[in-house]
Amino acid sequence: MNEEKTFDILVAGGGMIGSALALGLSRQGWQVALVEGSDHETLVQAPQPATNVADFEPRVSAISVASQQLLEQLGVWSEVTAGRHCPYQTMTVWDGDGTGRIQFEAAELQARALGTIVENRSIVRALFEALEQSQVELIEGVRITGCKRASEGYTLELEDDRSLSAKLLVGCDGANSRLRQWVGLPTREWDYDQQAIVCTVRTTQSHRFTAWQRFSTSGPLAFLPLLPESGDEHFCSIVWSQDTGEARRLMALDDTEFASELERAIERELGSVETVSSRFAFPLRQRHAKDYVAPGFALVGDAAHTIHPLAGQGANLGYGDVRAMLDELSRAKKAGLNPANELVLARYQRRRKGENLAMMAAMEGFKQLFARDELPVRWLRNTGLRWLNQLGPVKNRIAAEAMGLNG
């Protein structure tokens, strides 16, 4: 028998972004449902203590100070930091084809850390534990099979024959958002013809609570510091972006050969790579929805925009969306407005679209700059890096922007 429920707001997608949004909206007094295809046990299962590279989740995020503040406001950051996490005080970036190097220090910004490396599942678990104690109606382990415009808002059809209706539907269902496609919001997108290889490694030298990033013409390599329960400072998560053909070659190597390639690529900054976990590779594609909103509908996070991972800003851009959406809907609630009010949604889009496009354009320019090997271009970028490293106020302003501390 078909069962239908009605809410103020439906959030589709219970990852790091959607679950945070649903929790925040519920705290404002909206009637909220969160639909997530995974089952509850998978989402809240606590990890075993990490003693080797296989114990870490391969997908991690560099959570900025601004994103941390959002998670603090939602009351979940203390739960995140009760588990595995690694604050980093330094970020070192250099040109592998030259001598340019720049180093950012938390101390220069009077901050305890530039950011925190966290396994994605730790954030999701903390959010779902909070959701269990909230007024959000959790609808888990069931897929969305359809989406249609209703007289007021949208109706979602679920695979178990239930229907859910709301004045406002928010798509947080990832880069390949089915809701975005069903609603008919087009995207601008292109394939980088690159893949990102991710895995966990253990090195002979300490990571020194530093995020390391080396650029080359074929793509950036990041070593992001991890910290297991034992406090061992020799684990890192790597993200290695390479042209598709080279990525396939690297994925075909055995662990010993791959470790040797990694050591050369990172110029042995952390000594030898002792062990390597299972590797995963995913294609890199940039997408940006031409519009984030439609009548009764909004996109948030990767459903609205995906970015090259070279700056580690994907999750932080998503949390920026969440902050703006919560702010605008809080104002709407106080004013007694419908959550799908077109002016409310237009303000959300105006606040986020420009900022996201600016970050995407900057990262694309950065990628293209390092992809070129002509001698004048190489000289320019290396000279620029060295020059910038000596300009404390300018360098610190860039770091503050990356941390989300831009006022």
Side-chain angles (χ1 to χ4, degrees):
M1 180 177 174
N2 188 288
E3 175 190 352
E4 181 167 343
K5 286 189 174 182
T6 302
F7 301 88
D8 292 325
I9 304 170
L10 275 172
V11 178
M16 293 193 300
I17 306 303
S19 53
L21 179 62
L23 182 61
L25 291 171
S26 175
R27 298 267 175 84
Q28 294 177 356
W30 300 106
Q31 289 183 300
V32 181
L34 175 62
V35 185
E36 167 54 42
S38 302
D39 62 66
H40 183 80
E41 294 300 320
T42 302
L43 294 167
V44 300
Q45 185 176 15
Q48 296 298 313
T51 57
N52 59 63
V53 292
D55 296 327
F56 291 91
E57 186 192 11
R59 299 297 292 268
V60 305
S61 292
I63 299 299
S64 70
V65 174
S67 296
Q68 174 185 326
Q69 290 169 348
L70 171 66
L71 294 171
E72 286 173 347
Q73 291 163 10
L74 293 174
V76 302
W77 185 249
S78 59
E79 182 65 27
V80 172
T81 55
R84 291 195 296 267
H85 69 289
C86 188
Y88 57 97
Q89 284 81 43
T90 306
M91 177 180 289
T92 300
V93 180
W94 74 101
D95 185 349
D97 298 315
T99 57
R101 180 176 287 240
I102 188 168
Q103 189 160 293
F104 301 96
E105 297 282 356
E108 293 181 14
L109 293 153
Q110 289 79 51
R112 286 180 292 180
L114 295 174
T116 305
I117 307 299
V118 185
E119 293 161 76
N120 291 2
R121 66 182 173 189
S122 297
I123 298 175
V124 174
R125 184 174 62 253
L127 284 164
F128 265 78
E129 288 177 355
L131 284 165
E132 286 180 325
Q133 307 303 317
S134 75
Q135 298 300 309
V136 175
E137 179 150 345
L138 284 171
I139 300 166
E140 306 161 275
V142 59
R143 291 188 310 110
I144 299 169
T145 56
C147 168
K148 60 184 180 182
R149 190 82 168 95
S151 57
E152 185 181 19
Y154 274 88
T155 298
L156 290 183
E157 298 167 350
L158 307 183
E159 62 181 343
D160 59 5
D161 290 332
R162 280 184 291 173
S163 295
L164 308 171
S165 296
K167 299 169 185 174
L168 175 62
L169 171 62
V170 184
C172 299
D173 53 336
N176 297 309
S177 170
R178 295 178 74 193
L179 290 181
R180 184 185 67 221
Q181 297 167 30
W182 282 334
V183 173
L185 290 179
T187 60
R188 294 186 180 92
E189 54 186 273
W190 63 88
D191 196 317
Y192 284 113
D193 194 23
Q194 286 194 326
Q195 293 187 358
I197 300 171
V198 297
C199 67
T200 304
V201 301
R202 191 177 194 281
T203 59
T204 56
Q205 294 180 18
S206 166
H207 52 56
R208 306 192 288 283
F209 296 93
T210 298
W212 306 85
Q213 191 160 38
R214 175 188 182 269
F215 283 88
S216 68
T217 53
S218 58
L221 168 62
F223 271 58
L224 306 175
L226 300 173
L227 197 65
E229 292 79 357
S230 65
D232 187 341
E233 299 171 16
H234 295 79
F235 291 96
C236 287
S237 176
I238 74 147
V239 183
W240 196 357
S241 301
Q242 286 286 293
D243 295 338
T244 299
E246 177 65 2
R248 288 173 178 161
R249 184 188 73 82
L250 291 168
M251 288 294 290
L253 298 177
D254 65 29
D255 286 352
T256 301
E257 293 169 331
F258 183 74
S260 296
E261 294 271 5
L262 264 182
E263 288 174 22
R264 284 194 292 273
I266 202 66
E267 298 177 11
R268 295 182 64 85
E269 284 280 354
L270 301 174
S272 300
V273 175
E274 291 184 327
T275 51
V276 178
S277 73
S278 297
R279 286 164 263 156
F280 301 88
F282 56 93
L284 296 180
R285 189 172 185 83
Q286 179 145 302
R287 289 182 185 84
H288 191 261
K290 294 181 181 179
D291 287 297
Y292 292 7
V293 300
F297 182 74
L299 294 170
V300 168
D302 283 356
H305 46 78
T306 57
I307 189 171
H308 195 286
L310 66 85
Q313 290 296 311
N316 296 318
L317 289 182
Y319 281 132
D321 295 349
V322 171
R323 283 193 303 273
M325 180 67 78
L326 290 177
D327 189 27
E328 294 302 334
L329 284 173
S330 174
R331 292 169 60 186
K333 185 70 174 175
K334 292 171 183 175
L337 297 175
N338 187 312
N341 180 282
E342 64 180 17
L343 295 178
V344 172
L345 296 184
R347 281 198 299 268
Y348 160 71
Q349 172 165 285
R350 188 164 58 249
R351 288 177 61 173
R352 293 307 300 157
K353 193 174 181 182
E355 184 173 331
N356 290 333
L357 277 170
M359 175 63 76
M360 294 171 82
M363 291 306 100
E364 180 63 17
F366 211 57
K367 178 184 176 297
Q368 294 299 331
L369 177 64
F370 280 91
R372 295 181 62 180
D373 197 35
E374 299 95 325
L375 187 59
V377 176
R378 194 190 309 171
W379 177 87
L380 179 63
R381 69 180 180 237
N382 280 277
T383 301
L385 281 173
R386 290 194 298 271
W387 173 74
L388 185 59
N389 198 43
Q390 296 170 9
L391 290 179
V394 178
K395 183 177 72 169
N396 291 341
R397 180 60 182 170
I398 293 171
E401 289 280 347
M403 294 164 71
L405 304 178
N406 52 7

